[in-house]
Amino acid sequence: MSEFKTIIYEKRGNVAWITLNRPDKLNAQNTEMRRELIRALEDAWKDDNVRVVVITGAGRAFSAGADISEFPILTPADLVKRAEIIRPYELIRNMPKPVIAAVNGLALGGGCELAMSCDIVIASEDAQFGQPEVRVGVIPGGGGTQILPRLVGEKIAKEMIFTGKFISAQEAYRLGMINKVVPREKLMEEVNNMVNELLKQSPIILAFAKMAVNKALETTLTEGLKCEVDLFRLCFSTEDQKELSKAFLEKKPPAIKGR
Ligand code: COA
């Protein structure tokens, strides 16, 4: 879709690829990029042929966060009106399909939040993560104060958010923020391996699994377990559940339909 200026949006097979494309500004997210991201994510959500989404960055950064050049003129009233500030993160989290972040370099501020909102994060070993918003007079606004403590615990999250210091991809892996760290030249190979693993699964069952795990981050254990059992039961209403269990028992490859 060539109408985008700040991202590249491509569909290949069952995969939608979104590349943040302002490399000269380290893929800082300005209003136009956020609006384009929303359009691309909404399209990927609606398109039944798209079963996995991958987000990456052009150049040496994944994204250096919000475009600070817009900050001096923004007012609280502007921010109330601008749903696009957090909408991309909400779309990624709620979309009933897996979204992979292929973190090719710096993931700071909104870039770190964008990666954290994805279901699976694979980073190159030269990537760095951080929430440096305090250094420009704000706090994280795309989920950083809520998601990061859930991933790494309160103390590490507060240290990162209070100091703005960056951590290496290896450290992010050790802390449980990301799934995998690979040499830069292997990043896309590893992402493709993950994509292929996900494409083998039933999309409807993956959607239920994503809903159930998301629930774990936002509710009590009792409510979460209730949600899980409801979704578990719902699996039995799908054709894929019948097909997958039958194929296992008959030792045959399954014919997944996605319903
Ligand atoms: N918003 C707007 N522009 C940004 C940006 C951001 N978040 N991050 C980087 N850029 C721009 C720089 O202004 C520079 O533009 P210029 O060449 O027109 O001057 C270009 O991207 C390259 O960045 P530069 O700072 O020269 O690269 P560096 O390697 O020396 O430093 C960083 C990289 C990431 C450490 C540094 O750019 C930085 O601290 N960026 C801000 C990160 C941040 O605070 N994000 C949270 C925002 S709320």
Side-chain angles (χ1 to χ4, degrees), residues 24-26 28 60 64-68 71 106 108-109 132-133 136 166:
D24 53 325
K25 297 290 177 192
L26 304 185
R60 69 184 167 105
D67 189 323
I68 299 166
F71 279 20
L106 293 163
L108 305 174
E133 286 88 343
V136 289
F166 306 166

Side-chain angles (χ1 to χ4, degrees), residues 93 111-118 121 131 143-144 147-148 151 177:
R93 185 157 286 277
C112 187
E113 289 166 318
L114 188 64
M116 287 193 295
S117 64
C118 294
V121 183
Q131 297 286 167
I147 312 290
L148 190 59
L151 295 179
M177 269 178 83

Side-chain angles (χ1 to χ4, degrees), residues 186-201:
K186 294 260 181 212
L187 180 63
M188 284 309 161
E189 187 183 320
E190 279 300 326
V191 169
N192 277 312
N193 290 343
M194 183 62 73
V195 164
N196 291 332
E197 282 301 314
L198 297 172
L199 290 177
K200 283 184 208 157
Q201 316 304 331

Side-chain angles (χ1 to χ4, degrees), residues 13-172:
N14 295 111
V15 186
W17 296 82
I18 299 175
T19 306
L20 308 178
N21 194 29
R22 298 181 72 212
D24 53 325
K25 297 290 177 192
L26 304 185
N27 301 320
Q29 298 164 35
N30 59 7
T31 302
E32 187 174 26
M33 182 187 278
R34 291 185 204 267
R35 288 185 178 150
E36 292 188 350
L37 256 179
I38 292 168
R39 275 169 50 214
L41 289 164
E42 284 177 345
D43 179 85
W45 183 324
K46 279 185 240 149
D47 186 339
D48 285 340
N49 283 325
V50 172
R51 291 175 47 195
V52 178
V53 179
V54 180
I55 303 178
T56 192
R60 69 184 167 105
F62 178 69
S63 169
D67 189 323
I68 299 166
S69 70
E70 293 184 349
F71 279 20
I73 51 164
L74 275 179
T75 66
D78 291 333
L79 292 168
V80 169
K81 280 184 262 161
R82 289 189 187 184
E84 68 266 13
I85 302 253
I86 55 164
R87 189 73 186 132
Y89 312 117
E90 289 173 347
L91 285 167
I92 293 166
R93 185 157 286 277
N94 296 325
M95 182 183 312
K97 1 189 141 179
V99 183
I100 301 174
V103 180
N104 53 299
L106 293 163
L108 305 174
C112 187
E113 289 166 318
L114 188 64
M116 287 193 295
S117 64
C118 294
D119 302 301
I120 290 179
V121 183
I122 303 179
S124 64
E125 52 194 12
D126 54 348
Q128 294 186 73
F129 295 80
Q131 297 286 167
E133 286 88 343
V134 285
R135 296 181 187 178
V136 289
V138 293
I139 68 170
T145 66
Q146 302 305 301
I147 312 290
L148 190 59
R150 284 167 163 80
L151 295 179
V152 302
E154 176 203 348
K155 305 302 173 210
I156 302 286
K158 281 184 176 162
E159 184 183 345
M160 285 177 69
I161 292 167
F162 292 0
T163 66
K165 76 168 188 182
F166 306 166
I167 60 169
S168 66
Q170 203 57 51
E171 182 69 348

